[in-house]
Amino acid sequence: CPAPSALRTANGTRICAQLYADDSPYYNECCAGAVLVVDPNSDVPYMPRGWAARISSLVVGNRCELTVWSRAGKKGSSRRFGS
């Protein structure tokens, strides 16, 4: 997985988090497959098509916090992740 401080686009813009579709019990094989990028100050109450219940690993950038909910529309229980 990339280091939290390394989350940047190709042009150097900061990324707040990256969510990955594939995971593995082996650390060097984690953070694989399709990637969903979360920009700073994003507010997305619904997951993009095809991403619901698909994320298996994530990396949150420095000075960012990612809050996820168990149900769509910011309902259900929530959990916060930081770098």
Side-chain angles (χ1 to χ4, degrees), residues 40-66:
N41 302 313
S42 294
D43 185 9
V44 183
Y46 297 94
M47 292 299 290
R49 181 180 290 274
W51 279 94
R54 186 172 173 203
I55 297 166
S56 61
S57 53
L58 58 90
V59 176
V60 179
N62 293 338
R63 299 185 322 263
C64 282
E65 185 176 85
L66 177 70

Side-chain angles (χ1 to χ4, degrees), residues 5-18:
S5 61
L7 293 184
R8 300 208 175 263
T9 63
N11 68 4
T13 305
R14 191 168 70 99
I15 295 173
C16 205
Q18 287 187 169

Side-chain angles (χ1 to χ4, degrees), residues 23-54:
D23 192 13
S24 171
Y26 303 104
Y27 183 77
N28 63 339
E29 296 176 14
C30 289
C31 301
V35 177
L36 179 62
V37 173
V38 179
D39 294 320
N41 302 313
S42 294
D43 185 9
V44 183
Y46 297 94
M47 292 299 290
R49 181 180 290 274
W51 279 94
R54 186 172 173 203

